[in-house]
Amino acid sequence: GGVSNALYFRVTPLISTISPTSGRKSELVTVNGYGFGSFSSGYTVVYFGGTRAISYAEWTNSRIVVRVPSVPRGRIPIKVKTAGGISWGKYFTVI
């Protein structure tokens, strides 16, 4: 046994892949990676550019299935925000 030094650490989410890499509004996108934690309304969110997604089919520590929100057409970054921080973006093309 021993005594912990009670240090806190945060896991910043990391996106490894998104699939598909293009699609239309309301279609599902799978975001794979790690550090996503569990879904907590208001604290965990997927951003398409600056727009928050509002519909999720699945949220696990390593996979999120999210519906493309109403955003303009074009190439935009998808990012995951958790209590640990915000991920780097992976690009998705809205067609």
Side-chain angles (χ1 to χ4, degrees), residues 67-90:
R67 197 166 299 281
V68 179
S70 184
V71 291
R73 290 181 181 176
R75 189 170 179 256
I76 57 173
I78 292 179
K79 296 180 180 182
V80 177
K81 181 178 181 276
T82 68
I86 192 160
S87 70
W88 289 96
K90 287 282 186 187

Side-chain angles (χ1 to χ4, degrees), residues 15-27:
I15 298 173
S16 56
T17 62
I18 59 171
S19 179
T21 56
S22 65
R24 292 180 167 77
K25 179 181 74 167
S26 299
E27 292 182 343

Side-chain angles (χ1 to χ4, degrees), residues 13-53:
L14 178 105
I15 298 173
S16 56
T17 62
I18 59 171
S19 179
T21 56
S22 65
R24 292 180 167 77
K25 179 181 74 167
S26 299
E27 292 182 343
L28 292 174
V29 176
T30 300
V31 179
N32 295 297
Y34 67 84
F36 302 151
S38 57
F39 181 76
S40 176
S41 183
Y43 294 99
T44 51
V45 66
V46 173
Y47 284 99
F48 284 74
T51 302
R52 294 169 70 115

